[in-house]
Amino acid sequence: MDRKAIIHSHLKSIANEMLGFIKDNESNYPDKWVPAADIKRILDLNFVAVPKQNTQYGQKGWLFAILARLLEDDNQVEFKKDGARSFYRSII
């Protein structure tokens, strides 16, 4: 397996762990819609994404967004926006 395939495999594994978290917590929320903010906060998925010498504007949910999109592309989660809040729930 080449480096690209290995990296993508790791990302998919991380996304599947996040999917497991969503499934485990859906019963705690109305209509199974788990707030993205809760997912990011509980799993601590906000990171600074710039080199240390650059100007940092705080932690962002870039990794969460990538993982959620991977799950969405695989039809494993669905997305809902309600005002400024985002939600996810499993499809499978």
Side-chain angles (χ1 to χ4, degrees):
M1 202 183 283
D2 65 9
R3 299 275 182 209
K4 176 183 172 182
I6 292 168
I7 289 169
H8 284 254
S9 174
H10 286 304
L11 287 170
K12 183 65 179 163
S13 294
I14 297 166
N16 284 331
E17 285 298 321
M18 190 170 84
L19 175 61
F21 175 85
I22 292 168
K23 287 180 176 182
D24 289 347
N25 287 278
E26 286 176 332
S27 63
N28 300 326
Y29 298 94
D31 296 324
K32 298 184 175 184
W33 287 106
V34 182
D38 289 358
I39 300 167
K40 289 186 282 186
R41 180 181 50 80
I42 294 167
L43 296 180
D44 198 15
L45 291 176
N46 289 319
F47 296 94
V48 175
V50 298
K52 288 182 179 183
Q53 293 180 345
N54 281 1
T55 303
Q56 298 183 28
Y57 298 103
Q59 296 179 336
K60 304 292 180 205
W62 58 271
L63 179 60
F64 167 79
I66 292 167
L67 301 173
R69 180 57 190 261
L70 288 172
L71 293 171
E72 201 174 2
D73 286 349
D74 285 346
N75 294 315
Q76 294 183 298
V77 297
E78 55 185 334
F79 169 79
K80 175 179 88 164
K81 186 101 171 161
D82 185 6
R85 299 192 72 200
S86 297
F87 301 85
Y88 290 89
R89 70 178 175 190
S90 64
I91 294 174
I92 302 169

